[in-house]
């Protein structure tokens, strides 16, 4: 069964405002693994901009990339009430949340940071919004694929597999630490909803990309000087608050 | 004017329950800088255990290191109501907070993580408590030294100097990102109270120590493989939540 048919099957039970999986999404990418044997060049997470209309809305949002889906433009317009062409974190939260899935403001901030408008992570323009929406659509598809019992939650092992399919080979020990923050102390097995999945996944994606930027020769090991090390990590700590 | 006389002068205006500066604290340590010219071997942040009594309280806390101050033992006893010999994050918050300085639970969690009981950052034993208390005392002294107008707050440049004196040469650009999380959006210059100073400083200290562990030859540059990079950072992200 193909990935896309799974997505289509499952998406019918969800609210239509959820970002949809871009048709161009290619799952054949390779994973970023640290084992010496494996090829870890991560698949390109290219934002999908579609091939449709020209990305110009009825009231003139010309900032969208050509071919942006009208649904994405409409979602942006709905929250950008002052028609400034930019939205803040609360507006973004509203745009990407829906009846069945509300995003935590922490996740929204992290998304703002990772898809930031050049030099400004407090606002999001049409370009960033379109890229972010498409990315969320990909992740929604992956989440639904690995949520095998359709519970709306995935556990540690499903998370590991889901991230692997997104191109991240994260050791289980690291994931265990990462998901411990979602432990409610009840003693029950920790499971992540889509919001938490996005939060974890985006954090791992962002850090992995930082590592890759330095590891140009794709050896799986790279040198950091102290300034670089601190400058790489600190923004994640701040955005993850 | 010596560091200690300043500390003594200023501490008289504060509640006595604030951790005090250990007399053994040596400020002559070298800073951890990344510039090629400078010596960046960081001063040893040895916990101070004093030279006084045997560290055994009236009801038998034998877990304190020899010479722990009775004040520290008393503070621990006061919050460890079930006399289990361990305290949780809420009890730690209560122990280190006082009328004029309440620590945010986020800072407390970070302290728990950095001074964790072996393999367990949800509780804190006498040894960890004594080390943590002494460290806070050192930091209080530094904070008061650099809070030149005695406002109870320090700005970016005072923070940079204060951290430098603690052994961390952090570039202003990194500090600017770090303190942006304390920006209240009023447009006023960001200033940190002691709680936020400890939060920022402990985070920088923890990350610097991780870097140093890898940089055994003290060259200022060290290699990480992807697993190491992720395993180093993720716990900070989780604890900093």
């Amino acid at each position: 069964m193909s990935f896309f048919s799974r997505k289509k099957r499952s998406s019918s039970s969800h609210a239509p405002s959820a970002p949809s999986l871009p048709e161009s999404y290619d799952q054949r990418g390779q994973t970023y693994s640290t084992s010496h044997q494996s090829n870890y060049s991560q698949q390109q997470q290219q934002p999908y901009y579609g091939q449709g209309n020209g990305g110009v809305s009825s009231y003139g949002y010309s900032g969208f990339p050509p071919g942006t889906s009208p649904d994405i433009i409409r979602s942006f317009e709905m929250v950008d009430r002052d028609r400034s062409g930019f939205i803040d974190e609360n507006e973004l939260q509203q745009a990407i949340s829906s009846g069945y899935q509300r995003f935590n403001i922490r996740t929204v901030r992290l998304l703002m940071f990772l898809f930031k408008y050049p030099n400004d992570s407090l606002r999001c323009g049409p370009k960033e919004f379109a890229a972010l929406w498409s990315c969320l659509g990909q992740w929604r598809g992956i989440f639904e694929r690995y949520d095998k019992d359709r519970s709306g939650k995935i556990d540690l092992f499903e998370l590991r597999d889901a991230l692997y399919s997104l191109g991240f080979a994260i050791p289980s020990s690291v994931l265990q630490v990462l998901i411990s923050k979602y432990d409610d102390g009840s003693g029950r097995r920790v499971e992540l909803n889509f919001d938490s999945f996005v939060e974890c996944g985006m954090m791992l994606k962002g850090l992995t990309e930082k590592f890759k930027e330095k590891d140009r020769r794709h050896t799986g090991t790279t040198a950091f000087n102290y300034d670089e090390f601190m400058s790489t990590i600190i923004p994640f700590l701040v955005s993850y608050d």
Side-chain angles (χ1 to χ4, degrees), chain A residues 25 101 103-104 106-107 110-111 135-147 152-166 168 175 178-179 182 191-205 240:
Chain A
Y25 181 63
Q101 178 60 65
F103 284 89
N104 197 303
R106 209 171 53 196
T107 310
L110 180 61
L111 289 168
C135 181
L136 279 182
Q138 292 173 1
W139 289 51
R140 168 105 249 153
I142 299 282
F143 183 84
E144 291 178 354
R145 186 180 186 201
Y146 286 91
D147 172 23
K153 297 197 165 189
I154 58 175
D155 67 16
L156 175 69
F157 302 104
E158 290 165 339
L159 174 69
R160 187 195 56 196
D161 295 346
L163 291 169
Y164 192 84
S165 80
L166 278 161
F168 308 107
L175 285 183
L178 187 61
I179 72 169
Y182 304 102
E191 291 186 306
L192 269 56
N193 62 14
F194 182 56
D195 178 16
S196 308
F197 171 69
V198 168
E199 188 181 31
C200 282
M202 285 290 178
M203 185 55 67
L204 296 170
K205 180 176 188 289
Y240 204 43

Short mmCIF file of all heavy atoms in Angstrom, two decimals, chain A residues 25 101 103-104 106-107 110-111 135-147 152-166 168 175 178-179 182 191-205 240:
data_model
loop_
_atom_site.label_atom_id
_atom_site.label_comp_id
_atom_site.label_asym_id
_atom_site.label_seq_id
_atom_site.Cartn_x
_atom_site.Cartn_y
_atom_site.Cartn_z
N TYR A 25 5.66 15.18 -2.20
CA TYR A 25 6.53 14.67 -1.16
C TYR A 25 7.12 13.32 -1.56
O TYR A 25 6.42 12.39 -1.91
CB TYR A 25 5.76 14.54 0.15
CG TYR A 25 6.63 14.02 1.26
CD1 TYR A 25 7.71 14.76 1.69
CD2 TYR A 25 6.37 12.80 1.85
CE1 TYR A 25 8.52 14.29 2.69
CE2 TYR A 25 7.18 12.32 2.85
CZ TYR A 25 8.25 13.07 3.26
OH TYR A 25 9.06 12.60 4.26
N GLN A 101 -6.89 19.42 16.51
CA GLN A 101 -5.47 19.55 16.83
C GLN A 101 -5.10 20.98 17.10
O GLN A 101 -5.07 21.80 16.19
CB GLN A 101 -4.62 19.01 15.69
CG GLN A 101 -3.13 19.14 15.93
CD GLN A 101 -2.68 18.39 17.17
OE1 GLN A 101 -2.75 17.18 17.21
NE2 GLN A 101 -2.23 19.09 18.20
N PHE A 103 -2.18 23.43 18.46
CA PHE A 103 -0.75 23.43 18.72
C PHE A 103 -0.45 24.29 19.94
O PHE A 103 -0.95 25.40 20.08
CB PHE A 103 0.02 23.98 17.51
CG PHE A 103 0.13 23.00 16.39
CD1 PHE A 103 -0.84 22.95 15.41
CD2 PHE A 103 1.19 22.11 16.33
CE1 PHE A 103 -0.76 22.04 14.37
CE2 PHE A 103 1.29 21.20 15.30
CZ PHE A 103 0.31 21.16 14.31
N ASN A 104 0.38 23.72 20.80
CA ASN A 104 0.93 24.39 21.95
C ASN A 104 1.71 25.64 21.48
O ASN A 104 2.38 25.60 20.45
CB ASN A 104 1.94 23.40 22.55
CG ASN A 104 2.31 23.72 23.94
OD1 ASN A 104 2.81 24.82 24.21
ND2 ASN A 104 2.07 22.80 24.85
N ARG A 106 4.35 26.74 22.55
CA ARG A 106 5.78 26.39 22.53
C ARG A 106 6.17 25.81 21.16
O ARG A 106 7.21 26.16 20.61
CB ARG A 106 6.03 25.35 23.61
CG ARG A 106 7.38 25.33 24.22
CD ARG A 106 7.41 24.41 25.41
NE ARG A 106 6.90 23.09 25.06
CZ ARG A 106 6.53 22.17 25.93
NH1 ARG A 106 6.58 22.41 27.22
NH2 ARG A 106 6.10 20.99 25.55
N THR A 107 5.30 24.93 20.65
CA THR A 107 5.55 24.35 19.33
C THR A 107 5.49 25.45 18.27
O THR A 107 6.30 25.49 17.35
CB THR A 107 4.51 23.27 19.01
OG1 THR A 107 4.44 22.36 20.10
CG2 THR A 107 4.86 22.51 17.74
N LEU A 110 8.60 27.47 18.25
CA LEU A 110 9.67 26.69 17.64
C LEU A 110 9.54 26.74 16.12
O LEU A 110 10.54 26.93 15.40
CB LEU A 110 9.61 25.25 18.15
CG LEU A 110 10.66 24.28 17.61
CD1 LEU A 110 12.06 24.71 17.97
CD2 LEU A 110 10.39 22.87 18.15
N LEU A 111 8.32 26.60 15.61
CA LEU A 111 8.09 26.68 14.17
C LEU A 111 8.46 28.06 13.64
O LEU A 111 9.10 28.20 12.60
CB LEU A 111 6.62 26.37 13.85
CG LEU A 111 6.20 24.90 14.04
CD1 LEU A 111 4.67 24.76 13.98
CD2 LEU A 111 6.85 24.01 13.00
N CYS A 135 5.42 21.67 5.23
CA CYS A 135 6.21 20.80 6.09
C CYS A 135 5.30 20.08 7.09
O CYS A 135 5.39 18.87 7.28
CB CYS A 135 7.27 21.61 6.82
SG CYS A 135 8.30 20.63 7.89
N LEU A 136 4.39 20.84 7.69
CA LEU A 136 3.46 20.23 8.64
C LEU A 136 2.62 19.15 7.95
O LEU A 136 2.28 18.14 8.55
CB LEU A 136 2.52 21.29 9.23
CG LEU A 136 3.06 22.14 10.38
CD1 LEU A 136 1.98 23.08 10.87
CD2 LEU A 136 3.53 21.25 11.54
N GLY A 137 2.28 19.41 6.70
CA GLY A 137 1.51 18.43 5.94
C GLY A 137 2.28 17.13 5.78
O GLY A 137 1.73 16.04 5.99
N GLN A 138 3.55 17.25 5.48
CA GLN A 138 4.39 16.05 5.36
C GLN A 138 4.41 15.29 6.69
O GLN A 138 4.24 14.08 6.73
CB GLN A 138 5.84 16.43 5.03
CG GLN A 138 6.03 17.03 3.65
CD GLN A 138 7.45 17.54 3.45
OE1 GLN A 138 8.30 17.42 4.34
NE2 GLN A 138 7.71 18.10 2.30
N TRP A 139 4.59 16.06 7.74
CA TRP A 139 4.72 15.42 9.06
C TRP A 139 3.40 14.80 9.50
O TRP A 139 3.38 13.77 10.16
CB TRP A 139 5.23 16.44 10.08
CG TRP A 139 6.67 16.75 9.82
CD1 TRP A 139 7.24 17.12 8.63
CD2 TRP A 139 7.75 16.66 10.75
NE1 TRP A 139 8.58 17.28 8.76
CE2 TRP A 139 8.93 17.01 10.05
CE3 TRP A 139 7.82 16.34 12.09
CZ2 TRP A 139 10.18 17.03 10.67
CZ3 TRP A 139 9.07 16.37 12.71
CH2 TRP A 139 10.22 16.71 12.01
N ARG A 140 2.31 15.42 9.15
CA ARG A 140 0.99 14.86 9.46
C ARG A 140 0.84 13.49 8.77
O ARG A 140 0.38 12.53 9.38
CB ARG A 140 -0.08 15.84 8.95
CG ARG A 140 -1.48 15.35 8.90
CD ARG A 140 -2.32 15.95 10.03
NE ARG A 140 -2.65 14.93 10.98
CZ ARG A 140 -2.90 15.13 12.27
NH1 ARG A 140 -2.82 16.31 12.79
NH2 ARG A 140 -3.19 14.14 13.06
N GLY A 141 1.28 13.44 7.52
CA GLY A 141 1.20 12.18 6.78
C GLY A 141 2.03 11.09 7.44
O GLY A 141 1.57 9.97 7.62
N ILE A 142 3.23 11.45 7.82
CA ILE A 142 4.12 10.48 8.48
C ILE A 142 3.51 10.04 9.81
O ILE A 142 3.49 8.86 10.15
CB ILE A 142 5.51 11.11 8.75
CG1 ILE A 142 6.18 11.53 7.44
CG2 ILE A 142 6.38 10.15 9.55
CD1 ILE A 142 6.81 10.43 6.64
N PHE A 143 3.01 11.00 10.56
CA PHE A 143 2.43 10.68 11.87
C PHE A 143 1.30 9.67 11.70
O PHE A 143 1.21 8.67 12.41
CB PHE A 143 1.91 11.97 12.52
CG PHE A 143 1.34 11.78 13.90
CD1 PHE A 143 2.18 11.78 15.01
CD2 PHE A 143 -0.02 11.59 14.10
CE1 PHE A 143 1.66 11.61 16.28
CE2 PHE A 143 -0.54 11.42 15.37
CZ PHE A 143 0.31 11.43 16.46
N GLU A 144 0.43 9.95 10.76
CA GLU A 144 -0.72 9.06 10.56
C GLU A 144 -0.28 7.69 10.07
O GLU A 144 -0.88 6.68 10.40
CB GLU A 144 -1.71 9.70 9.58
CG GLU A 144 -2.37 10.91 10.22
CD GLU A 144 -3.34 11.64 9.31
OE1 GLU A 144 -3.44 11.28 8.12
OE2 GLU A 144 -4.00 12.58 9.80
N ARG A 145 0.79 7.68 9.34
CA ARG A 145 1.28 6.40 8.85
C ARG A 145 1.77 5.52 9.99
O ARG A 145 1.58 4.31 10.00
CB ARG A 145 2.43 6.66 7.86
CG ARG A 145 2.92 5.40 7.20
CD ARG A 145 4.04 5.72 6.25
NE ARG A 145 4.42 4.54 5.51
CZ ARG A 145 5.60 4.40 4.91
NH1 ARG A 145 6.46 5.36 4.95
NH2 ARG A 145 5.89 3.30 4.26
N TYR A 146 2.42 6.16 10.97
CA TYR A 146 3.02 5.39 12.06
C TYR A 146 2.10 5.23 13.27
O TYR A 146 2.39 4.44 14.15
CB TYR A 146 4.39 5.97 12.44
CG TYR A 146 5.39 5.62 11.38
CD1 TYR A 146 5.62 6.47 10.31
CD2 TYR A 146 6.04 4.40 11.39
CE1 TYR A 146 6.50 6.14 9.29
CE2 TYR A 146 6.92 4.04 10.38
CZ TYR A 146 7.14 4.92 9.33
OH TYR A 146 7.99 4.55 8.32
N ASP A 147 1.03 5.96 13.28
CA ASP A 147 0.02 5.78 14.34
C ASP A 147 -0.86 4.62 13.89
O ASP A 147 -1.99 4.80 13.43
CB ASP A 147 -0.79 7.09 14.47
CG ASP A 147 -1.97 6.93 15.40
OD1 ASP A 147 -1.95 6.01 16.26
OD2 ASP A 147 -2.93 7.71 15.27
N GLY A 152 -4.25 8.49 17.50
CA GLY A 152 -3.87 9.91 17.56
C GLY A 152 -2.61 10.11 18.37
O GLY A 152 -2.21 11.24 18.64
N LYS A 153 -1.98 8.98 18.77
CA LYS A 153 -0.74 9.07 19.55
C LYS A 153 0.26 8.03 19.06
O LYS A 153 -0.14 6.96 18.59
CB LYS A 153 -1.03 8.83 21.03
CG LYS A 153 -1.96 9.88 21.60
CD LYS A 153 -1.93 9.90 23.10
CE LYS A 153 -2.57 11.17 23.61
NZ LYS A 153 -2.38 11.37 25.03
N ILE A 154 1.53 8.36 19.19
CA ILE A 154 2.55 7.37 18.84
C ILE A 154 3.52 7.21 20.02
O ILE A 154 3.76 8.14 20.77
CB ILE A 154 3.32 7.72 17.55
CG1 ILE A 154 4.01 9.09 17.63
CG2 ILE A 154 2.40 7.70 16.33
CD1 ILE A 154 4.86 9.40 16.42
N ASP A 155 4.02 5.98 20.15
CA ASP A 155 4.94 5.71 21.26
C ASP A 155 6.39 5.84 20.82
O ASP A 155 6.67 6.22 19.67
CB ASP A 155 4.64 4.33 21.89
CG ASP A 155 4.96 3.19 20.93
OD1 ASP A 155 5.69 3.41 19.93
OD2 ASP A 155 4.48 2.06 21.19
N LEU A 156 7.30 5.51 21.71
CA LEU A 156 8.73 5.68 21.45
C LEU A 156 9.18 5.00 20.16
O LEU A 156 9.91 5.59 19.36
CB LEU A 156 9.53 5.13 22.65
CG LEU A 156 11.06 5.11 22.51
CD1 LEU A 156 11.62 6.51 22.50
CD2 LEU A 156 11.69 4.30 23.64
N PHE A 157 8.73 3.76 19.97
CA PHE A 157 9.23 2.99 18.83
C PHE A 157 8.62 3.47 17.52
O PHE A 157 9.28 3.53 16.49
CB PHE A 157 9.00 1.49 19.07
CG PHE A 157 9.67 1.03 20.33
CD1 PHE A 157 8.94 0.79 21.49
CD2 PHE A 157 11.06 0.92 20.38
CE1 PHE A 157 9.58 0.41 22.66
CE2 PHE A 157 11.70 0.54 21.56
CZ PHE A 157 10.96 0.30 22.70
N GLU A 158 7.33 3.84 17.60
CA GLU A 158 6.69 4.41 16.42
C GLU A 158 7.33 5.76 16.09
O GLU A 158 7.52 6.10 14.93
CB GLU A 158 5.18 4.58 16.67
CG GLU A 158 4.43 3.26 16.74
CD GLU A 158 3.02 3.38 17.32
OE1 GLU A 158 2.73 4.36 18.03
OE2 GLU A 158 2.22 2.46 17.08
N LEU A 159 7.68 6.51 17.13
CA LEU A 159 8.34 7.81 16.93
C LEU A 159 9.68 7.60 16.23
O LEU A 159 10.01 8.30 15.27
CB LEU A 159 8.55 8.51 18.28
CG LEU A 159 9.36 9.81 18.22
CD1 LEU A 159 8.59 10.92 17.51
CD2 LEU A 159 9.73 10.30 19.64
N ARG A 160 10.42 6.62 16.72
CA ARG A 160 11.74 6.34 16.13
C ARG A 160 11.59 6.00 14.64
O ARG A 160 12.31 6.52 13.79
CB ARG A 160 12.39 5.17 16.88
CG ARG A 160 13.82 4.90 16.48
CD ARG A 160 14.29 3.55 16.96
NE ARG A 160 13.39 2.50 16.47
CZ ARG A 160 13.33 1.26 16.95
NH1 ARG A 160 14.09 0.92 17.96
NH2 ARG A 160 12.50 0.37 16.43
N ASP A 161 10.60 5.15 14.33
CA ASP A 161 10.38 4.75 12.94
C ASP A 161 9.89 5.92 12.09
O ASP A 161 10.30 6.09 10.95
CB ASP A 161 9.37 3.59 12.87
CG ASP A 161 9.91 2.33 13.53
OD1 ASP A 161 11.13 2.27 13.81
OD2 ASP A 161 9.11 1.41 13.80
N ALA A 162 9.01 6.72 12.68
CA ALA A 162 8.48 7.88 11.95
C ALA A 162 9.60 8.86 11.63
O ALA A 162 9.70 9.36 10.51
CB ALA A 162 7.39 8.56 12.78
N LEU A 163 10.45 9.12 12.61
CA LEU A 163 11.56 10.04 12.38
C LEU A 163 12.54 9.46 11.37
O LEU A 163 13.09 10.18 10.54
CB LEU A 163 12.28 10.35 13.71
CG LEU A 163 11.47 11.19 14.69
CD1 LEU A 163 12.15 11.22 16.06
CD2 LEU A 163 11.29 12.63 14.18
N TYR A 164 12.72 8.16 11.42
CA TYR A 164 13.62 7.50 10.47
C TYR A 164 13.11 7.72 9.05
O TYR A 164 13.87 8.02 8.14
CB TYR A 164 13.72 6.02 10.80
CG TYR A 164 14.84 5.33 10.05
CD1 TYR A 164 16.14 5.35 10.54
CD2 TYR A 164 14.59 4.67 8.85
CE1 TYR A 164 17.17 4.73 9.84
CE2 TYR A 164 15.62 4.04 8.15
CZ TYR A 164 16.90 4.08 8.65
OH TYR A 164 17.92 3.47 7.96
N SER A 165 11.79 7.60 8.90
CA SER A 165 11.22 7.78 7.56
C SER A 165 11.31 9.24 7.11
O SER A 165 11.23 9.53 5.93
CB SER A 165 9.77 7.29 7.54
OG SER A 165 8.94 8.28 8.08
N LEU A 166 11.47 10.15 8.07
CA LEU A 166 11.66 11.55 7.72
C LEU A 166 13.14 11.87 7.48
O LEU A 166 13.49 13.00 7.12
CB LEU A 166 11.14 12.45 8.85
CG LEU A 166 9.63 12.71 8.87
CD1 LEU A 166 9.17 13.19 10.23
CD2 LEU A 166 9.24 13.75 7.80
N PHE A 168 15.73 10.96 9.82
CA PHE A 168 16.54 11.13 11.03
C PHE A 168 16.70 9.81 11.77
O PHE A 168 15.72 9.25 12.26
CB PHE A 168 15.90 12.15 11.99
CG PHE A 168 15.60 13.44 11.29
CD1 PHE A 168 14.29 13.77 10.98
CD2 PHE A 168 16.61 14.30 10.93
CE1 PHE A 168 14.00 14.95 10.33
CE2 PHE A 168 16.33 15.47 10.26
CZ PHE A 168 15.02 15.80 9.96
N LEU A 175 16.06 9.52 22.15
CA LEU A 175 14.60 9.72 22.08
C LEU A 175 13.95 9.54 23.44
O LEU A 175 13.03 10.24 23.80
CB LEU A 175 13.98 8.72 21.09
CG LEU A 175 14.20 9.04 19.62
CD1 LEU A 175 13.48 8.03 18.75
CD2 LEU A 175 13.72 10.45 19.28
N LEU A 178 14.35 12.61 25.27
CA LEU A 178 13.53 13.65 24.66
C LEU A 178 12.05 13.50 25.04
O LEU A 178 11.39 14.49 25.37
CB LEU A 178 13.68 13.58 23.13
CG LEU A 178 13.04 14.68 22.32
CD1 LEU A 178 13.63 16.04 22.69
CD2 LEU A 178 13.24 14.45 20.83
N ILE A 179 11.55 12.28 25.01
CA ILE A 179 10.11 12.13 25.29
C ILE A 179 9.81 12.11 26.79
O ILE A 179 8.65 12.19 27.18
CB ILE A 179 9.47 10.92 24.57
CG1 ILE A 179 9.91 9.59 25.17
CG2 ILE A 179 9.73 10.96 23.08
CD1 ILE A 179 9.07 8.43 24.65
N TYR A 182 7.40 14.55 28.21
CA TYR A 182 5.95 14.38 28.04
C TYR A 182 5.39 13.35 29.03
O TYR A 182 4.22 13.00 28.96
CB TYR A 182 5.62 13.97 26.59
CG TYR A 182 6.17 14.95 25.59
CD1 TYR A 182 7.32 14.68 24.88
CD2 TYR A 182 5.54 16.18 25.38
CE1 TYR A 182 7.85 15.59 23.98
CE2 TYR A 182 6.07 17.10 24.48
CZ TYR A 182 7.22 16.80 23.79
OH TYR A 182 7.74 17.70 22.91
N GLU A 191 3.29 8.54 25.35
CA GLU A 191 2.87 8.60 23.95
C GLU A 191 2.75 10.06 23.55
O GLU A 191 2.40 10.91 24.35
CB GLU A 191 1.54 7.89 23.77
CG GLU A 191 1.64 6.38 23.95
CD GLU A 191 0.33 5.70 23.61
OE1 GLU A 191 -0.72 6.09 24.19
OE2 GLU A 191 0.34 4.79 22.76
N LEU A 192 3.01 10.31 22.28
CA LEU A 192 3.00 11.70 21.79
C LEU A 192 1.82 11.94 20.86
O LEU A 192 1.55 11.13 19.97
CB LEU A 192 4.28 11.97 21.00
CG LEU A 192 5.48 12.52 21.76
CD1 LEU A 192 5.85 11.64 22.92
CD2 LEU A 192 6.67 12.68 20.82
N ASN A 193 1.14 13.06 21.06
CA ASN A 193 0.14 13.46 20.08
C ASN A 193 0.86 14.21 18.94
O ASN A 193 2.08 14.37 18.97
CB ASN A 193 -0.97 14.31 20.73
CG ASN A 193 -0.44 15.60 21.32
OD1 ASN A 193 0.68 16.01 21.03
ND2 ASN A 193 -1.23 16.22 22.17
N PHE A 194 0.10 14.67 17.97
CA PHE A 194 0.74 15.27 16.78
C PHE A 194 1.52 16.53 17.15
O PHE A 194 2.63 16.76 16.65
CB PHE A 194 -0.32 15.56 15.70
CG PHE A 194 0.28 16.13 14.44
CD1 PHE A 194 1.29 15.45 13.76
CD2 PHE A 194 -0.14 17.34 13.93
CE1 PHE A 194 1.86 15.97 12.59
CE2 PHE A 194 0.42 17.87 12.76
CZ PHE A 194 1.42 17.18 12.10
N ASP A 195 0.96 17.33 18.02
CA ASP A 195 1.62 18.56 18.49
C ASP A 195 3.01 18.24 19.06
O ASP A 195 4.03 18.81 18.65
CB ASP A 195 0.72 19.21 19.56
CG ASP A 195 1.32 20.47 20.16
OD1 ASP A 195 2.27 21.03 19.59
OD2 ASP A 195 0.82 20.90 21.22
N SER A 196 3.06 17.28 19.98
CA SER A 196 4.34 16.91 20.60
C SER A 196 5.29 16.26 19.59
O SER A 196 6.51 16.45 19.65
CB SER A 196 4.11 15.96 21.77
OG SER A 196 3.16 16.50 22.66
N PHE A 197 4.70 15.50 18.69
CA PHE A 197 5.51 14.88 17.63
C PHE A 197 6.19 15.96 16.79
O PHE A 197 7.38 15.88 16.48
CB PHE A 197 4.59 14.02 16.75
CG PHE A 197 5.24 13.49 15.50
CD1 PHE A 197 6.24 12.53 15.56
CD2 PHE A 197 4.82 13.94 14.25
CE1 PHE A 197 6.84 12.05 14.39
CE2 PHE A 197 5.41 13.45 13.08
CZ PHE A 197 6.42 12.50 13.16
N VAL A 198 5.44 16.99 16.44
CA VAL A 198 6.00 18.09 15.65
C VAL A 198 7.08 18.80 16.47
O VAL A 198 8.17 19.12 15.96
CB VAL A 198 4.90 19.08 15.21
CG1 VAL A 198 5.50 20.36 14.64
CG2 VAL A 198 3.99 18.43 14.17
N GLU A 199 6.79 19.03 17.75
CA GLU A 199 7.76 19.72 18.60
C GLU A 199 9.09 18.94 18.67
O GLU A 199 10.16 19.50 18.43
CB GLU A 199 7.18 19.90 20.01
CG GLU A 199 8.03 20.77 20.89
CD GLU A 199 7.45 20.94 22.29
OE1 GLU A 199 6.78 20.01 22.79
OE2 GLU A 199 7.68 21.98 22.89
N CYS A 200 8.98 17.64 18.97
CA CYS A 200 10.19 16.80 19.02
C CYS A 200 10.87 16.75 17.67
O CYS A 200 12.09 16.94 17.56
CB CYS A 200 9.82 15.35 19.37
SG CYS A 200 9.49 15.07 21.08
N GLY A 201 10.08 16.46 16.67
CA GLY A 201 10.64 16.25 15.33
C GLY A 201 11.30 17.50 14.78
O GLY A 201 12.39 17.43 14.20
N MET A 202 10.68 18.64 14.99
CA MET A 202 11.24 19.89 14.46
C MET A 202 12.54 20.24 15.16
O MET A 202 13.46 20.80 14.55
CB MET A 202 10.24 21.03 14.62
CG MET A 202 9.10 20.97 13.64
SD MET A 202 9.69 21.34 11.97
CE MET A 202 8.20 21.14 11.04
N MET A 203 12.58 19.94 16.44
CA MET A 203 13.79 20.21 17.20
C MET A 203 14.93 19.34 16.66
O MET A 203 16.04 19.83 16.39
CB MET A 203 13.50 19.86 18.67
CG MET A 203 14.60 20.19 19.61
SD MET A 203 15.11 21.90 19.53
CE MET A 203 13.66 22.71 20.17
N LEU A 204 14.63 18.06 16.48
CA LEU A 204 15.65 17.15 15.95
C LEU A 204 16.06 17.55 14.54
O LEU A 204 17.24 17.51 14.17
CB LEU A 204 15.10 15.71 15.95
CG LEU A 204 14.79 15.14 17.34
CD1 LEU A 204 14.04 13.82 17.22
CD2 LEU A 204 16.06 14.95 18.14
N LYS A 205 15.08 17.94 13.74
CA LYS A 205 15.35 18.37 12.36
C LYS A 205 16.26 19.60 12.36
O LYS A 205 17.26 19.66 11.65
CB LYS A 205 14.02 18.70 11.68
CG LYS A 205 14.13 19.16 10.24
CD LYS A 205 12.72 19.36 9.66
CE LYS A 205 12.74 19.63 8.16
NZ LYS A 205 13.26 20.94 7.79
N TYR A 240 12.93 27.01 22.55
CA TYR A 240 12.22 25.84 23.05
C TYR A 240 11.60 26.11 24.41
O TYR A 240 11.21 25.20 25.11
CB TYR A 240 13.24 24.69 23.18
CG TYR A 240 12.66 23.32 23.14
CD1 TYR A 240 11.68 22.98 22.23
CD2 TYR A 240 13.10 22.34 24.01
CE1 TYR A 240 11.16 21.71 22.19
CE2 TYR A 240 12.60 21.05 23.97
CZ TYR A 240 11.63 20.75 23.05
OH TYR A 240 11.12 19.48 23.00
#
